Amino acid sequence: MALILGLVLSSLVPSEANQQVFLPSNTARTLLGRQKRANFLLEELRPGNLERECMEEICNYEEASEVFEDAEKTWTFWKTYNATIDACVSTPCRNGGICHSAVSEYNCTCREGYGGRSCEIESDKCTSNPCKNGGWCRSKAAQYECFCETGYHGRNCELGPSDCSAHGHTCDHFCKSQYGNYVCYCTQGYKLGEDQRSCVPEVPYPCGKVLVPSSIEDTDLVLRSIDGDQHCRMGEYPWQVLLKSDGEIFCGGAIINENFVLTAAHCVNQLRSFTVILGEHNLDVDEGFEQTLNVSRINIHSRYTQATFENDIALLELETPIEFNNYTIPICLPETDFAEFFLMNSEYGATSGWKLKQGRVDKSVLLGVPYVPFIKHAKCEGLQPFPIVHRMFCAGFEELVDPLCYLTRGSPFVTKHRGVWYLTGISLGQQDCKVIPVYTKVSRYINWIKKIMGQSRSGL
C-alpha cells in the first residue's frame, strides 16, 4: 500500500519533460481561473473543510458533521444552511400548491383557480363572464357558480326550461318534450294547425285576440306611451274589467274565461259584496256593451301578506257566465315555462285601467299604455318600501310614473307573442308613485289558478 501511494505521489511531481509542457502554476491560474478544490484527486483523504464541502458544493448533514465534529454546532449550522439550499422548507406555496426547489430558489405549481409566485392569488373565474342569458356569477376558489334568470338553468344558465328551449320559437303557442323530440300545442280556444306548429282559433272569440283595429302603429308605441294621449279605442283591451262597491270604482281585473276574473288580493280582502263591470270604456257614457255581474266566490291566495304584498292575487268566480263579443274577450293564461322563458324576456308589455287619484276617477275613459318596458329584477330591488321577491316584477320607466302608478289596482299587465296577448302580471297594492310600478308575476300562480277553476262548479 505504501509503495502504491508513493508511486501516485511521485507522479504528481513535475519532471523535466513535462515542465516544458505545463505552464507555471501562477501563470495557469490567471488563464483558467480558480477551480473547485473539491474536485481534485484524493479529496476524501483531506480533513473536513466547510468551504470545500458546503460552499463550493452542496453538502449533506454527514459531511457537515465531519467539518464541525460537534453535534450542537453541526445542527445550528444545518438549520440555517438547509433553509438556504432548500427554499421549500418554509412551505412558501399556499393554497395546496406544490413546491419545487433549486439552490436558494423555489417554484410553485399551483392548483386550478390560483396563481402568483406562491399561489397566493385566487383567480376570479367570473372575469370571463361564463354565465349566459343574463345570469350573474359568483367566484369560488377553483370554480364559480351561476345564478340564473327565470326560465334558464344549467351550469352556465345555457339551458331553457326544457328541450323545447331550442325549438319553442317554432311553435305558435306552447311546446313540450316528448320521446326525445318536441311537440307544439295551443292555449284554450285554439287548435293545432295542419303543420303541427301553428294555432288556429276554434271559437268565435279566442283569448288574447283583439278584434278591433288598434289606435296606433307598433312603431309609435313609445311616442304614445310617453308623450301621446293614452286614451285607447273601445275594445282595444277587451279583457279589462272594473270592480265597483256601492257604486264606487275601487279596482280593476282581467277576464280569464267565461266564469272567472283575476285581480289583486288587496282589492277584495275586506269585501263581501261587489260587482264586476265588463265591456266598459267611457264611464260617462252607456255604450251598450257593458255587462254587470255578481261574484259568487272570492278566492284569495292563502299566503297573501298585506304588509309586503306577497302573493297579492285573487280569483273571482262569477254567478253567471260572461257573454263574449268584440269588446269583451278573455286574456290568455300562459304555461309557466312559456311565460318565464319567452314572455318575461320580451322587451315590453302593455297595461290598462282607469286613472284614479285619491280614490276618485281622474280620467273617465279607459287608458291603455302599449309600451311598458320590463325592468331587470336586480334594478327593481330597493325601489319600493317593501321587498321585491321573485314572484313580482317591475315594468316601466320614469316618464311613465303618471299614469301607470294611478291606474286601477288589480289591472292586468299583458305581453304579446305571435299576435296573441297573454296575462303576465297583476298590479300590486299601494306603492310609491315616484318610482317604477310593481306587478305580481302571474306565471308563478298558473297551477294555483287552474286548481281553483278545476274545483269549482263551473269547471274550466
Side-chain angles (χ1 to χ4, degrees):
M1 183 64 181
L3 178 61
I4 294 172
L5 181 60
L7 291 174
V8 172
L9 292 177
S10 65
S11 68
L12 297 177
V13 179
S15 65
E16 292 184 4
N18 61 28
Q19 280 180 354
Q20 297 176 358
V21 177
F22 295 98
L23 293 174
S25 61
N26 58 344
T27 305
R29 287 176 182 172
T30 61
L31 296 175
L32 300 177
R34 183 173 179 270
Q35 297 188 14
K36 292 183 178 180
R37 286 173 291 169
N39 290 331
F40 67 85
L41 188 62
L42 300 180
E43 171 193 354
E44 298 302 327
L45 298 178
R46 293 172 174 265
N49 183 283
L50 183 64
E51 182 180 0
R52 180 180 73 247
E53 303 286 358
C54 297
M55 303 305 172
E56 294 180 352
E57 294 183 345
I58 296 176
C59 66
N60 56 32
Y61 184 84
E62 183 180 356
E63 291 172 325
S65 64
E66 292 176 356
V67 173
F68 290 100
E69 298 180 350
D70 181 274
E72 184 176 351
K73 291 180 180 180
T74 302
W75 178 244
T76 301
F77 165 78
W78 182 252
K79 287 190 294 183
T80 303
Y81 175 75
N82 192 51
T84 301
I85 65 169
D86 187 357
C88 290
V89 169
S90 61
T91 60
C93 301
R94 300 168 57 186
N95 298 307
I98 300 174
C99 187
H100 308 277
S101 69
V103 179
S104 304
E105 295 289 337
Y106 69 89
N107 292 304
C108 293
T109 300
C110 302
R111 292 172 53 207
E112 183 182 359
Y114 295 94
R117 172 169 169 74
S118 301
C119 306
E120 76 281 9
I121 301 173
E122 182 177 340
S123 301
D124 186 356
K125 292 293 185 179
C126 291
T127 54
S128 61
N129 298 319
C131 304
K132 309 301 181 184
N133 298 306
W136 59 99
C137 182
R138 184 175 68 185
S139 183
K140 293 178 13 178
Q143 56 185 338
Y144 62 89
E145 183 177 7
C146 287
F147 296 87
C148 305
E149 284 284 345
T150 301
Y152 293 90
H153 66 285
R155 173 169 170 76
N156 297 319
C157 306
E158 74 280 11
L159 302 175
S162 67
D163 292 338
C164 289
S165 60
H167 308 286
H169 64 280
T170 64
C171 299
D172 264 7
H173 291 180
F174 311 141
C175 171
K176 62 182 176 182
S177 300
Q178 191 174 77
Y179 306 115
N181 204 341
Y182 72 96
V183 294
C184 300
Y185 65 105
C186 306
T187 190
Q188 188 176 2
Y190 295 80
K191 64 180 180 180
L192 204 59
E194 293 183 359
D195 60 2
Q196 299 299 302
R197 295 181 179 181
S198 60
C199 291
V200 182
E202 59 179 354
V203 295
Y205 302 103
C207 69
K209 276 288 187 181
V210 177
L211 301 180
V212 301
S214 175
S215 60
I216 194 166
E217 298 293 332
D218 285 350
T219 54
D220 296 324
L221 292 179
V222 179
L223 179 63
R224 170 175 155 182
S225 296
I226 300 175
D227 300 320
D229 188 352
Q230 284 89 18
H231 288 183
C232 59
R233 288 184 180 179
M234 185 175 179
E236 195 171 357
Y237 297 88
W239 41 79
Q240 176 75 50
V241 305
L242 186 64
L243 304 185
K244 275 188 176 183
S245 178
D246 298 325
E248 295 293 330
I249 297 171
F250 65 93
C251 269
I255 303 170
I256 300 300
N257 62 23
E258 61 182 4
N259 297 303
F260 288 92
V261 165
L262 197 67
T263 187
H266 78 272
C267 288
V268 296
N269 192 36
Q270 304 297 326
L271 295 178
R272 293 294 176 266
S273 177
F274 58 93
T275 56
V276 177
I277 315 298
L278 308 97
E280 185 63 272
H281 181 249
N282 190 331
L283 301 176
D284 296 333
V285 179
D286 184 356
E287 294 160 305
F289 295 98
E290 298 87 349
Q291 299 177 56
T292 301
L293 302 179
N294 294 321
V295 176
S296 63
R297 185 178 178 183
I298 303 171
N299 300 280
I300 296 175
H301 198 280
S302 60
R303 294 196 301 275
Y304 164 59
T305 305
Q306 186 173 358
T308 61
F309 299 106
E310 289 188 61
N311 307 300
D312 189 7
I313 193 168
L315 189 61
L316 310 178
E317 186 173 358
L318 305 175
E319 283 187 354
T320 55
I322 299 170
E323 296 181 9
F324 295 132
N325 53 54
N326 286 4
Y327 309 103
T328 304
I329 295 173
I331 186 67
C332 293
L333 270 182
E335 294 291 323
T336 300
D337 285 349
F338 171 79
E340 300 197 352
F341 187 67
F342 289 105
L343 301 182
M344 300 303 295
N345 285 290
S346 300
E347 181 183 359
Y348 67 92
T351 190
S352 55
W354 287 269
K355 187 175 180 180
L356 301 179
K357 279 193 175 182
Q358 298 178 345
R360 296 185 178 183
V361 177
D362 186 66
K363 297 286 185 179
S364 60
V365 178
L366 178 66
L367 303 181
V369 187
Y371 184 87
V372 188
F374 283 95
I375 304 298
K376 291 290 185 182
H377 189 271
K379 182 178 180 181
C380 182
E381 289 181 307
L383 295 179
Q384 293 286 354
F386 53 87
I388 308 299
V389 299
H390 282 280
R391 289 175 175 259
M392 305 174 185
F393 70 91
C394 293
F397 35 33
E398 293 180 0
E399 294 86 344
L400 279 177
V401 168
D402 189 346
L404 281 180
C405 192
Y406 296 103
L407 291 180
T408 42
R409 302 298 178 206
S411 288
F413 187 98
V414 296
T415 308
K416 186 164 63 173
H417 181 77
R418 291 181 175 266
V420 176
W421 290 93
Y422 297 86
L423 183 62
T424 43
I426 292 289
S427 61
L428 289 183
Q430 295 299 319
Q431 305 176 39
D432 183 352
C433 282
K434 297 179 182 179
V435 295
I436 297 170
V438 185
Y439 300 85
T440 296
K441 189 184 293 185
V442 172
S443 62
R444 297 299 177 93
Y445 301 92
I446 299 299
N447 291 336
W448 176 79
I449 294 170
K450 289 183 176 180
K451 180 180 178 180
I452 291 175
M453 292 194 300
Q455 292 173 344
S456 78
R457 59 179 176 80
S458 304
L460 296 175

